[in-house]
Amino acid sequence: MPRPTAMKQLAPLTGLALAAASLPATAEEGSAFTPLWSFGNVSVNYLDWSSGTESRTSTNAAKGDFFYLEFEGGVGFDWGEFYAFYDFENPQNDQSEEDGRDNRRGAGKATSHIYLGDTPFSLYFHVYDFRDHGYDSKEQDLIAGFGYRHTFDNGLWFKPFLGKAWVESDDNAYSGQNGYMLGWVLGYDFQAWGHNFSVSNWHEQTFDRDDEYLQQNYVNGPAGSTGTNGAVGLWWHPVEEVTTGIQYRYSNNKLGTADDYQNAMIYTLKYNFL
């Protein structure tokens, strides 16, 4: 299995997803690159860790509140779909601050479902990359496996996946095979009080991770072999160009912190340009 691509290749993937999402719908009917759906947005976000999380992690990969800018996009064709985002965390700060929690950082993800014919099953690929140059720290996760897609009669859509995991880290941490990931994304649109709303959830459950990873990639390792990571969001769509929302962010045995539960609220304002 080839090693994951470097971070400098991930930001262009986000750009490619946004570019693909903007492909004109006037392409020749039946073209493989005629989008069936697409979206793109830029957002400003504030992540507010709970006081309990800040206390629990004060000596265990300490967490601090931060602003971040995000570019996000997705596109679907009749043969597959793609999604990507890139986050600029603490963009107003230097790469290395006196309080390392305030370092300028970068994080990005790209995912894809390549459909298996007319079935609801797909080949699933997922790469996530996080860099904090103030700590000379990096971690890139690659998932390859199978996905599934289903939309219920009430409009709720659900896309689970299961895949083998690999990790590439900086020289002071573990790189190699790293167990498995089970996860999903889901969403539901609804109306209330004459306004458009939606709910969303992304969830990742990692398991059977390598013992060296659990020791070397956590501040106070070893961490538990099962990691939990995700967020539940409520979104308001007052007009087509604007989305605002609040998310509950949760994590356990992830984000460099061993064994301590972490939770935060994220406040978001998006401009939808696609």
Side-chain angles (χ1 to χ4, degrees), residues 4-252:
T5 56
M7 182 58 193
K8 64 183 180 181
Q9 295 173 305
L10 183 58
L13 284 177
T14 307
L16 285 173
L18 294 174
S22 64
L23 286 171
T26 56
E28 181 181 351
E29 187 174 354
S31 166
F33 294 101
T34 301
L36 301 179
W37 56 264
S38 63
F39 72 92
N41 62 70
V42 59
S43 63
V44 58
N45 308 263
Y46 184 72
L47 189 149
D48 181 14
W49 291 108
S50 69
S51 58
T53 295
E54 293 189 16
S55 175
R56 289 189 296 272
T57 65
S58 60
T59 58
N60 190 10
K63 301 299 186 293
D65 304 342
F66 60 92
F67 283 99
Y68 65 97
L69 300 177
E70 179 173 274
F71 292 91
E72 179 187 38
V75 62
F77 305 98
D78 59 6
W79 49 270
E81 60 189 67
F82 302 86
Y83 167 81
F85 72 78
Y86 189 81
D87 292 347
F88 297 91
E89 300 181 1
N90 289 321
Q92 74 281 10
N93 293 347
D94 293 328
Q95 285 188 347
S96 182
E97 294 282 345
E98 182 176 353
D99 184 339
R101 297 178 300 175
D102 297 330
N103 289 353
R104 187 172 73 240
R105 305 178 293 263
K109 178 190 283 187
T111 70
S112 64
H113 287 268
I114 307 301
Y115 303 156
L116 294 175
D118 294 329
T119 76
F121 296 95
S122 60
L123 297 176
Y124 179 80
F125 301 97
H126 163 152
V127 59
Y128 173 80
D129 191 293
F130 174 80
R131 302 285 170 116
D132 186 338
H133 294 289
Y135 285 113
D136 293 323
S137 174
K138 71 172 185 179
E139 182 170 313
Q140 187 176 92
D141 300 301
L142 175 66
I143 312 298
F146 294 95
Y148 182 82
R149 313 170 320 281
H150 183 74
T151 301
F152 294 90
D153 291 341
N154 63 1
L156 171 69
W157 55 265
F158 179 55
K159 299 178 183 179
F161 65 88
L162 173 65
K164 177 65 178 170
W166 292 262
V167 64
E168 181 177 304
S169 308
D170 56 79
D171 293 339
N172 298 315
Y174 171 79
S175 296
Q177 298 188 52
N178 198 34
Y180 303 87
M181 179 182 288
L182 170 68
W184 62 79
V185 292
L186 62 82
Y188 177 70
D189 299 326
F190 65 97
Q191 288 191 330
W193 307 291
H195 292 269
N196 295 319
F197 295 90
S198 61
V199 293
S200 64
N201 172 226
W202 67 268
H203 182 88
E204 297 172 353
Q205 201 75 36
T206 53
F207 56 97
D208 196 29
R209 295 182 292 178
D210 190 276
D211 289 343
E212 290 186 53
Y213 172 83
L214 298 173
Q215 179 66 57
Q216 298 176 20
N217 291 57
Y218 286 81
V219 172
N220 293 331
S225 64
T226 300
T228 301
N229 205 22
V232 177
L234 173 64
W235 306 95
W236 176 39
H237 312 276
V239 295
E240 184 175 349
E241 295 81 10
V242 175
T243 297
T244 186
I246 185 171
Q247 299 178 74
Y248 176 77
R249 180 77 167 88
Y250 57 87
S251 178
N252 190 50

